[in-house]
RNA sequence: ACGAGCGUGGCGGAACUGGUAGACGCGCUGGAUUUAGGUUCCAGUGGGCUUGCCCGUGGGGGUUCGAUUCCCCCCGCUCGUACCA
């Protein structure tokens, strides 16, 4: 054994030892169960710094909890379905599974090199039929309960990935993965009624107080609940049409409605045009809007444009004919795709009305204005509150009261009524790709949609498949889709769509609990023991996608009787990005640092320590090569001092301690206390590590390794407790030194050492002395000094005296253990 | 535009429920060891000057004996959503 710190040798040796002893296996440690989860990686080929950070945070917490006596479940697996595998298959003319499994092998090795404490016995890959058969079963339950449905609808089409995307997966008008501008297409596809859970998904956020506020706010906005009214407008002079329904948050302004506007994609748009004989013009307009949406993606400051259909609606409360327009600013995705326009009280409607010379009827009088609003002189819509006028039957009402009154009136007339609208849309889960989980239904000419019977699950992906790059490989497969209908036995066609890959990650945390179960997705006992997840760690980018879907799945499974728990993640930590030179690491910017190189050069302990030290988990972390060097230097120092301590005689603490002994023991136990506190309160590993560093500076000053100026037992204690405190962050070096200092059990299986409160307490403290709030000196007093003693000491300070000279003390403020402030005139 | 968050030395970041601003690390300066580089160790390191004082936590105001911390206004940056009816 060499005297130099050799991380490679130490780390590989300890990793082998830990594995041989199975120290990470959950369920075998006794103690209170604690489910600690980190977002599982997509097997892209190599781990990146984001993974290193995520998993270093989780592992530090895991090891700390283990030392606190918890039975920790720290699983890992692979989010293994997805487009990159299919793209690689197209490129290399191979199978996506080959690519995926090879990547998994490589990444597993990389994770193991980091010395992470995963229970590898529970490893899972979502592309394995043993995994996905259960999500097929869950889907069939959704189908049975009416939560899954098939419909023709306008969908987001990613022209590069050749598939449909959910709303959440469209970022700035582009596909979240491909980055290509998304097109709108009308397609028959599968959707999930996540909107049935909108209210609960929203309300339950209030209870998730161990989640970051930012994530809760994002979900709240995403779900977007608004209270208002649904109002039906009958189309004038037509009997065979359903009324046009609008949603509004301002039913109080209904009497000021002077026209309606439909989205270009509104199902009635062309119908109305046909009836009015304006088809050509309207079609041209609709095409133009469509084209603009496709090309511009999100043109923000777009000119408001519209076209009159030629048809009118009846105002539900007035004898007023309301022209029906089609307008480019009305969204089909929100509300009903149609709006009632009140130009006097809505800025968008106002601009549109001015552009096309439409009427304005003001109906709300601003409270601070005396003269009534006049349409001709209005320069902008008045969107505030006030009293109603111009509103027969409701004049004089306050607008808030009018909202209720008008909604209720509509309800009694059967022309609408109060309603709550959500921005959240149902979750479109159909993907026209191969490398995903097959949707387990059969389309039969006679029976319609037939679920695949339980005993035929899983519906497995065919292995012999060719990838042209265009179109769905499953639909193009010569035989796979042809089956007999499970119900009537006649020839039928399999569903060739696969699930959105967020489907897999919506429940993987449950499968980890019982990953090899062949008769159930997870056993109730396992769920009872571990679920919900106590602490979930991952990136914020999933705030409105994965985290929302997973919450939904949990609620559905609870309703389906699997368990009682309705929220999957008790506590959530979203770690910040790893950046370099102020920018996110990316291949295109050329600022990527490969974790392998860092581990080769400094070892995993250094890489992990730096990740945890450089910033608190939730903040961005700037990758700084000099900082890594600093962490390495610190570990080398720990190594040197640790070896020196191992040379010391192992004697008990002496009866009487010198001043230096007491000071070093104070440093030791202060450090230990601080590390526990920082981890427990906020997972602030950075300050915990800083405390260890500070303490090591004190140990170094004790002359360890040279002229020792403290009792050997005190020095040994100072090192031993440091090694234990370091175990969550740099586990390899900690165990190595621990054993050299006489330990015989890996630290993860040892108890966190107790703080000697008496030793941690100082016998003298420094008190700041202020005169008129300004610092004029500091004095040393015994910890147990009374108020009078402290005041006397403060007044004795020469500089303080100078500042008090010629003044009368009006007030003496004493903050015990902190400071004294003299208010003097 | 709305919602959330942030703003502290040259840099990353500390500061408990209002109580010595800048812990710890990086960088930098000087010194010791070394043939040299590296390593390691010691000392210093917010700014200013008159060396015990002034200024200093994005800017301005307020509350307080005392404000990085609480309140109001403004500026800047980041993230999210974005014509949400």
């Amino acid at each position: 054994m060499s005297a130099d710190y050799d991380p490679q040798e130490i780390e590989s040796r300890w990793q082998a030892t830990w594995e041989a002893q199975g120290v990470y296996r959950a369920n075998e440690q006794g103690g209170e169960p604690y489910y600690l989860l980190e977002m599982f990686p997509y097997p892209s080929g190599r781990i990146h710094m984001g993974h290193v950070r995520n998993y270093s945070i989780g592992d530090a917490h895991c090891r700390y909890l283990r030392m606190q006596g918890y039975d920790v479940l720290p699983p890992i697996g692979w989010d293994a379905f997805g487009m990159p595998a299919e793209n690689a298959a197209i490129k290399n003319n191979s199978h996506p599974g080959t690519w995926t499994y090879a990547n998994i092998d490589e990444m597993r090795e990389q994770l193991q090199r980091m010395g992470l404490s995963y229970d590898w016995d529970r490893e899972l890959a979502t592309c394995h039929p043993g995994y996905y058969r259960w999500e097929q079963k869950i889907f069939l339950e959704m189908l049975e309960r009416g939560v899954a449905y098939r419909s023709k609808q306008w969908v987001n089409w990613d022209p590069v990935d050749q598939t449909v995307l959910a709303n959440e997966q469209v970022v700035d008008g582009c596909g979240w993965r491909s980055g290509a501008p998304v097109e709108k297409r009308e397609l028959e596809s599968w959707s999930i009624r996540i909107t049935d859970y909108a209210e609960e998904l929203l309300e339950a956020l209030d209870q998730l107080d161990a989640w970051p506020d930012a994530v809760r706010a994002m979900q709240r906005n995403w779900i977007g609940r608004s209270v208002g009214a649904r109002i039906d407008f009958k189309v004038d002079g037509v009997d065979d049409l359903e009324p046009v329904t609008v949603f509004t948050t301002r039913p109080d302004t209904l009497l000021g409605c002077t026209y309606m506007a439909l989205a270009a994609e509104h199902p009635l748009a062309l119908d109305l045009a046909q009836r009015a004989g304006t088809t050509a013009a309207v079609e041209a307009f609709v095409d133009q809007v469509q084209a603009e949406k496709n090309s511009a993606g999100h043109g923000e400051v777009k000119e408001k444009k519209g076209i009159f259909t030629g048809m009118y609606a009846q105002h539900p409360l007035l004898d007023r004919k309301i022209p029906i327009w089609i307008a480019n600013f009305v969204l089909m995705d929100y509300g009903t795709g149609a709006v009632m326009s009140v130009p006097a009280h809505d800025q968008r409607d106002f601009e549109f009305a001015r552009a096309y010379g439409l009427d304005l009827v003001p109906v709300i009088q601003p409270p601070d204005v005396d003269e009534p609003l006049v349409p001709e002189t209005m320069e902008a819509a008045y969107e505030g509150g006030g009293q109603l006028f111009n509103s027969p039957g409701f004049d004089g009402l306050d607008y808030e009261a009018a909202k209720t009154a008008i909604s209720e009136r509509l309800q009694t007339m059967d022309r609408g009524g109060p309603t709550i609208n959500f921005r959240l849309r149902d979750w479109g889960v159909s993907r026209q790709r191969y490398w995903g989980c097959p949707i387990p239904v059969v389309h039969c000419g006679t029976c319609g949609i037939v679920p695949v019977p339980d005993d035929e699950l899983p519906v497995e992906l065919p292995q012999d498949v060719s990838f042209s790059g265009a179109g769905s490989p499953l639909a193009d497969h010569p035989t796979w889709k042809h089956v007999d209908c499970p119900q009537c036995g006649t020839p039928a066609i399999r569903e060739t769509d696969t699930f959105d890959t967020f489907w897999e990650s919506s429940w993987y945390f449950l499968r980890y609990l019982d990953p090899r179960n062949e008769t159930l997705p997870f056993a109730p006992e396992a769920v009872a023991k571990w679920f919900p997840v106590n602490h979930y760690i991952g990136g914020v980018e999933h705030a409105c996608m994965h985290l929302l879907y997973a919450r939904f799945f949990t609620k559905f499974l609870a309703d389906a009787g699997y368990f009682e728990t309705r929220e999957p993640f008790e506590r959530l930590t979203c770690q910040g990005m790893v950046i370099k030179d102020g920018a996110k690491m990316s291949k295109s910017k050329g600022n990527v640092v490969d974790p392998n190189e860092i581990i080769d050069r400094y070892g995993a302990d250094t890489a992990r320590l730096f990740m945890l030290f450089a910033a608190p988990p939730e903040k961005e972390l700037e990758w700084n090569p000099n900082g890594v060097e600093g962490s390495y230097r610190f570990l080398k120092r720990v190594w040197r001092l640790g070896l020196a301590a191992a040379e010391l005689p192992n004697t008990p603490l002496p009866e009487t301690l010198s001043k230096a002994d007491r000071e070093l023991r104070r440093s030791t136990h202060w450090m230990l206390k601080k590390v526990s506190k920082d981890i427990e309160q906020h997972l602030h590993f950075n300050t915990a590590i800083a405390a260890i560093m500070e303490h090591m500076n004190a140990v170094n000053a004790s002359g360890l390794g040279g002229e020792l100026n403290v009792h050997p037992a005190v020095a040994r204690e100072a090192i031993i407790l440091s090694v234990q405190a370091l175990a969550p962050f740099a586990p390899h070096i900690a165990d190595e030194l621990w054993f050299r200092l006489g330990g015989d059990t890996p630290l993860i299986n040892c108890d966190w050492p107790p703080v000697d409160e008496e030793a941690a307490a100082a016998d003298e403290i420094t008190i700041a002395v202020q005169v008129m709030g300004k610092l004029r000196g500091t004095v040393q007093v015994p910890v147990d000094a009374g108020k009078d003693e402290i005041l006397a000491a403060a007044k004795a300070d020469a500089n303080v005296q100078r500042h008090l000279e010629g003044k009368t003390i009006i007030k003496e403020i004493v903050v015990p253990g902190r400071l004294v402030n003299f208010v003097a005139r």
Side-chain angles (χ1 to χ4, degrees), chain A residues 177-196:
Chain A
R177 199 144 226 172
S178 71
V182 163
E183 295 166 11
K184 288 282 177 190
R185 281 204 186 179
E186 208 170 14
L187 219 70
E188 183 89 358
S189 60
W190 288 99
S191 292
I192 302 297
R193 286 189 212 283
I194 191 171
T195 50
D196 281 0

Side-chain angles (χ1 to χ4, degrees), chain A residues 535-550:
Chain A
H535 188 194
Y536 194 26
I537 308 169
V540 238
E541 63 274 20
H542 291 114
C544 293
M545 296 198 269
H546 162 60
L547 288 170
L548 198 62
Y549 300 142

Side-chain angles (χ1 to χ4, degrees), chain A residues 290-330:
Chain A
Q290 214 69 272
E292 275 172 20
K293 272 190 187 165
N294 280 346
S295 63
H298 276 252
E300 192 204 305
V301 269
K302 218 184 328 177
E303 193 192 341
K304 288 191 173 48
K305 285 187 219 156
I307 189 165
F308 177 43
T309 59
M311 299 294 281
Y312 291 84
Q314 291 166 1
H315 193 288
L317 298 181
L318 294 169
D319 182 20
R320 184 190 288 164
K321 275 172 66 173
I322 297 195
I324 305 176
W325 284 67
I326 294 165
N328 64 349
F329 68 91
V330 181

